[in-house]
C-alpha cells in the first residue's frame, strides 16, 4: 500500500495538543510552564521538551507512525484513505469521515468495534455531509463491521449524513452527535456500499433514541447501496431520515426494533429485502412515521417464527408496496395512529389489515448466502386472509393462530409431510380453523409415507375447527347460502366446481363449539363440487362429526374415522356424491352414529363401508326423508344398525340394490374393508 506522509488524521494532533496542555506536574518541582521542567524520559509523562511520552526533545526520538498504517480507527479522517483487507481494524470511539474526505474499504476487510462498558454510545463510524465512503465488498469477500463482544447494542453502526431534502429542513440536527444534515441536493452522493455485513449495532443514544445498523440522514439518490446485511441489532436494521436514496438486496436478521424504519418524508425505493425474526420481542418488520413521502418497497419478504407485527404506519405515513410476502406474523398492518389506509398501497390496492399477505416468498433467501448466517426458520404462524398463492414448506412447523382463510383466486398448497398445529388458547377454539372460500383452492399433497397432519397443541377433542371448504355446487339452501361457520357464503349452480385436491391428510382434535346448536367437524364441505378430489383422509378424535357434507356433489374415497364423538359421516341439504371405501372405529362410549343423514334425499352412495364398535351404539341414522344407496356394508358391534329417526320412508334406503323393508333387516354383513390400508393414519 502506498503510504502518504504529508497529511495526518486530525485526531493525533488534537490528542497531542490536549495531552500537552493538560500536563502541569511530574516528579520534579512545580514549574510555570513546560519549558521550565526538565524531562525525565522515564516517568511515563510527556513533560519538558518531550514531543511524546518519554520521547522527543532531549529524550530518544519518538517513532513516527503514518496514520494510514494504523489499524486503529478513531478521530477524524480529512483526506482519502484506503484500508488494507489483510489487516483487522479496531474502531475506538467514533471515526468521522469529514467533508472532502473518502474512506475506501476493500473486499474482505473486517472492522471490530472495541467497546468498553460505557463507550457504546460514542462508538460508531460517521460519514459527514460532503464526505464519502466506498465499501467494496463482494459476495465471496464481504466487508464486516461488528463488535468484539458479539452482543446486540454494543456500538452505533454506520451513520451517513447527506444533503438531500428532509421535512426537517436544511441543516437539521441529528440525534447522533448533533451532526448537521439535510439540504436541497436530492442527487447528493455520499459514496457506495456493496456487500457489507453490520452486526451488533443499536447502542443507546439517550432515553429516547438508539443507533441503527445503518442510519441514513437525508442521503441522496446519487449514493449506491446494494447487498447489505444487518444482523442482531438492538434497534433498527436501517433507518431513513428523509432523503432520496434507494437500496437493493437487503437482509435483516433479528433486529429488535424495526428492520426497516423511515421518517421525515423519505421517498426512495427498497428493492429485494428479506426480513427474518426468530427471537421474540421485536417491534416490526417495517415502521414508517410522520409525513408520507410515498417510498416504494419492491419484493419484500418477511418471515417470523414468533408472531408479532409486520408493517406499522404512524401519523400519515404510507408506501407503495409490490411483491409483498409476510409469513408468521399475527398482525399484518398496524395503523398506529389511525392514519389513512389509502396511503398504504399494496399490489395496487389500499392495504387491508384483515389480509395476512401470506404468499410465496418474493425474495429467495438463497441470494443472501454470502451473509453466511446460521439462522434457520423452524416454525411459522398461519393466520388471516390468504389472497395469493402460497406453498408451505414441509421442513417448517406451522402454527395456526385464529383462522386462516384462503380467499377467492388464491391457492394454498401443502406438501407431503407438512404439520399444522392449531395453537389454541382457552376461548379461541371457535375462531381457530382453516377455511377455503368459494373460488379459493387447496392442494394437499400428502403421501402414505408422509401424510399431511392437522392437529392441536393441547391434543384434546374440540380444540379447533378443522378444515372448512365452501364451493359453488348446488344445495337445497340455494345460491349464496350462509354457513353456520363465520357467516361465509356457499352454494351456486356449478356442480363440477373445483375447490382443489386432498390426498393423505390426517385431521385430529377438531369439533370446537360454534354456538349452542352447532359444532365444527374435522372436514366440513359446503356445496363442494365434483371437480374437487378427496382421497385418503383420516379424521380422528373429533368432538363432533368426522366429515359433514352440506349439499354439493363432491365424492371421496378411502376415508378413516376413529372416535369422532358425534357422527363419523354426516350429510344434509341434498348432498348427492359418493363415498367409496370407508372405515369407522368406535371404541369410546358416547358417540352419536357412524352415519347421520338429514333433510331432502339426494340419494348419495356409500360403497364398501365398514363400521366397528366395541361399545354398542347406533350405526346408521336417517332423519326426515333422507336416504342413500349402500353397497357392501359391514356393521359390527352396534346395538342399533338403522334408526329412522323421523319415521322417514324406508324405500329411500337401498342396500345392495334392495330397499329396506324394516329397520331390523339383516343386510349389513358385507365384506369388511381391510383396516390395514389405513396404516398410514393409524401409525401416526
Amino acid at each position: 500500500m502506498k503510504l502518504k506522509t504529508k497529511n495526518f488524521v486530525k485526531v493525533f494532533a488534537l490528542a497531542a495538543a490536549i495531552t500537552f496542555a493538560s500536563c502541569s506536574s511530574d516528579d520534579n518541582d512545580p514549574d510555570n510552564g513546560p519549558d521550565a521542567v526538565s524531562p525525565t524520559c522515564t516517568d511515563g509523562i510527556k513533560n519538558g521538551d518531550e514531543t511524546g511520552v518519554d520521547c522527543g526533545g532531549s529524550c530518544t526520538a519518538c517513532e513516527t507512525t503514518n496514520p494510514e498504517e494504523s489499524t486503529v480507527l478513531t478521530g477524524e479522517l480529512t483526506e482519502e484513505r484506503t484500508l488494507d483487507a489483510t489487516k483487522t481494524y479496531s474502531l475506538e470511539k467514533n471515526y468521522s469521515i469529514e467533508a472532502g474526505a473518502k474512506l475506501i474499504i476493500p473486499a474482505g476487510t473486517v472492522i471490530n468495534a472495541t467497546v468498553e462498558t460505557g463507550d457504546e454510545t460514542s462508538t460508531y463510524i460517521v460519514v459527514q455531509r460532503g464526505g464519502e465512503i466506498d465499501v467494496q465488498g463482494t459476495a465471496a469477500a464481504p466487508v464486516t463491521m461488528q463488535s468484539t463482544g458479539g452482543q446486540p447494542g454494543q456500538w452505533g453502526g454506520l451513520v451517513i449524513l447527506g444533503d438531500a431534502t428532509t421535512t426537517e429542513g436544511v441543516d437539521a440536527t441529528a440525534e447522533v452527535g448533533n451532526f448537521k444534515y439535510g439540504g436541497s441536493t436530492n442527487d447528493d452522493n455520499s459514496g457506495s456500499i456493496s456487500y457489507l455485513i453490520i452486526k451488533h449495532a443499536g447502542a443507546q443514544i439517550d432515553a429516547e433514541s438508539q443507533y441503527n445498523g445503518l442510519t441514513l440522514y437525508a442521503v441522496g439518490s446519487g449514493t449506491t447501496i446494494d447487498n447489505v446485511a444487518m444482523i442482531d441489532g438492538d434497534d433498527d436494521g436501517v433507518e431513513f431520515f428523509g432523503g432520496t436514496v434507494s437500496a437493493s438486496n437487503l437482509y435483516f436478521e433479528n433486529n429488535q426494533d424495526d428492520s426497516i424504519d423511515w421518517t421525515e418524508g423519505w421517498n426512495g425505493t427498497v428493492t429485494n429485502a428479506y426480513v427474518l425474526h426468530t427471537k421474540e420481542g421485536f417491534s416490526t418488520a417495517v415502521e414508517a412515521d410522520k409525513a408520507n413521502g410515498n417510498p416504494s418497497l419492491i419484493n419484500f419478504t418477511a418471515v417470523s417464527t414468533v408472531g408479532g407485527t409486520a408493517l406499522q404506519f404512524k401519523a400519515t405515513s404510507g408506501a407503495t408496496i409490490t411483491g409483498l410476502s409476510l409469513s408468521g406474523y399475527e398482525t399484518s398492518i398496524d395503523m398506529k395512529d389511525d392514519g389513512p389506509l389509502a396511503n398504504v398501497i399494496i399490489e395496487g390496492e389500499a392495504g387491508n389489515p384483515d389480509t395476512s399477505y401470506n404468499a410465496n416468498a418474493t425474495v429467495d433467501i438463497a441470494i443472501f448466502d454470502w451473509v453466511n448466517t446460521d439462522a434457520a426458520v423452524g416454525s411459522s404462524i398461519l393466520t388471516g386472509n390468504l389472497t395469493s398463492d402460497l406453498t408451505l414448506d414441509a421442513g417448517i412447523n406451522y402454527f395456526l393462530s385464529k383462522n386462516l382463510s384462503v380467499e377467492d383466486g388464491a391457492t394454498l398448497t401443502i406438501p407431503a409431510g407438512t404439520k399444522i398445529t392449531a395453537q389454541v388458547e382457552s376461548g379461541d377454539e371457535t375462531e381457530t380453523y382453516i377455511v377455503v372460500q368459494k373460488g379459493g383452492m387447496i392442494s394437499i399433497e400428502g403421501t402414505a409415507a408422509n401424510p399431511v397432519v392437522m392437529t392441536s397443541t393441547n391434543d384434546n377433542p374440540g380444540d379447533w375447527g378443522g378444515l372448512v371448504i365452501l364451493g359453488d355446487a348446488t344445495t337445497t339452501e340455494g345460491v349464496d347460502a350462509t354457513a353456520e361457520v363465520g357467516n361465509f357464503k356457499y352454494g351456486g349452480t356449478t356442480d363440477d366446481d373445483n375447490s382443489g385436491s386432498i390426498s393423505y391428510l390426517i385431521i385430529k382434535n377438531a369439533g370446537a363449539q360454534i354456538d349452542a346448536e352447532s359444532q365444527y367437524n374435522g372436514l366440513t364441505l359446503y356445496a363442494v363440487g365434483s371437480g374437487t378430489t378427496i382421497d385418503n383422509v383420516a379424521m380422528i378424535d373429533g368432538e363432533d362429526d368426522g366429515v359433514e357434507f352440506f349439499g354439493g356433489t363432491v365424492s371421496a374415497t378411502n376415508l378413516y374415522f376413529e372416535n369422532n364423538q358425534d357422527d363419523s359421516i354426516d350429510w344434509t341439504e341434498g348432498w348427492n356424491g359418493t363415498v367409496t371405501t370407508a372405515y369407522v372405529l368406535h371404541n369410546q362410549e358416547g358417540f352419536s352414529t357412524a352415519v347421520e343423514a338429514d333433510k331432502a334425499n339426494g340419494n348419495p352412495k356409500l360403497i364398501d363401508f365398514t363400521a366397528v364398535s366395541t361399545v354398542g351404539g347406533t350405526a346408521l341414522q336417517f332423519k326426515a326423508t333422507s336416504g342413500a344407496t349402500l353397497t357392501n356394508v359391514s356393521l359390527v358391534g352396534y346395538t342399533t344398525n338403522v334408526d329412522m329417526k323421523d319415521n322417514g320412508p324406508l324405500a329411500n334406503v337401498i342396500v345392495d340394490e334392495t330397499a329396506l323393508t324394516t329397520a331390523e333387516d339383516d343386510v349389513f354383513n358385507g365384506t369388511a374393508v381391510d383396516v390395514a390400508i389405513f396404516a398410514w393414519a393409524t401409525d401416526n
Side-chain angles (χ1 to χ4, degrees), residues 283-312:
S283 179
T284 69
V286 166
E287 180 187 280
D289 197 6
K290 299 185 179 177
N292 181 25
N294 192 30
S296 297
L297 300 182
I298 301 173
N299 297 336
F300 181 84
T301 295
V303 177
S304 173
T305 66
V306 290
T309 297
L311 314 178
Q312 184 180 80

Side-chain angles (χ1 to χ4, degrees), residues 261-278:
D261 192 345
W262 67 80
T263 185
E264 298 180 13
W266 171 63
N267 67 351
T269 298
V270 167
T271 304
N272 295 342
Y274 192 100
V275 175
L276 178 61
H277 289 122
T278 63

Side-chain angles (χ1 to χ4, degrees), residues 130-272:
E132 287 190 56
I133 190 167
D134 185 6
V135 178
Q136 301 176 342
T138 65
V143 170
T144 301
M145 299 177 180
Q146 61 191 1
S147 72
T148 52
Q151 298 298 318
Q154 290 190 321
W155 70 299
L158 175 60
V159 180
I160 304 178
L161 303 113
D163 197 47
T165 52
T166 164
T167 56
E168 293 298 294
V170 176
D171 291 338
T173 300
E175 59 188 4
V176 177
N178 290 320
F179 299 130
K180 298 299 180 183
Y181 70 99
S184 57
T185 310
N186 276 338
D187 62 351
D188 187 40
N189 182 4
S190 297
S192 64
I193 299 173
S194 185
Y195 289 99
L196 170 63
I197 300 172
I198 302 174
K199 295 182 177 180
H200 316 130
Q204 199 76 34
I205 298 172
D206 54 36
E208 300 297 323
S209 305
Q210 286 176 276
Y211 292 95
N212 312 293
L214 178 61
T215 305
L216 304 169
Y217 284 99
V219 175
S221 61
T223 308
T224 302
I225 300 174
D226 181 50
N227 282 294
V228 181
M230 287 139 282
I231 299 173
D232 289 337
D234 212 33
D235 200 64
D236 302 337
V238 61
E239 184 164 7
F240 301 86
F241 290 84
T244 55
V245 67
S246 294
S248 57
N249 300 313
L250 304 184
Y251 176 79
F252 303 88
E253 182 183 307
N254 289 325
N255 295 281
Q256 286 303 295
D257 194 13
D258 316 302
S259 293
I260 300 178
D261 192 345
W262 67 80
T263 185
E264 298 180 13
W266 171 63
N267 67 351
T269 298
V270 167
T271 304
N272 295 342

Side-chain angles (χ1 to χ4, degrees), residues 69-88:
E69 294 179 329
S70 175
T71 58
V72 175
L73 304 179
T74 191
E76 296 177 351
L77 178 66
T78 58
E79 59 177 353
E80 183 175 302
R81 179 181 181 183
T82 301
L83 302 187
D84 182 348
T86 66
K87 299 177 180 179
T88 298

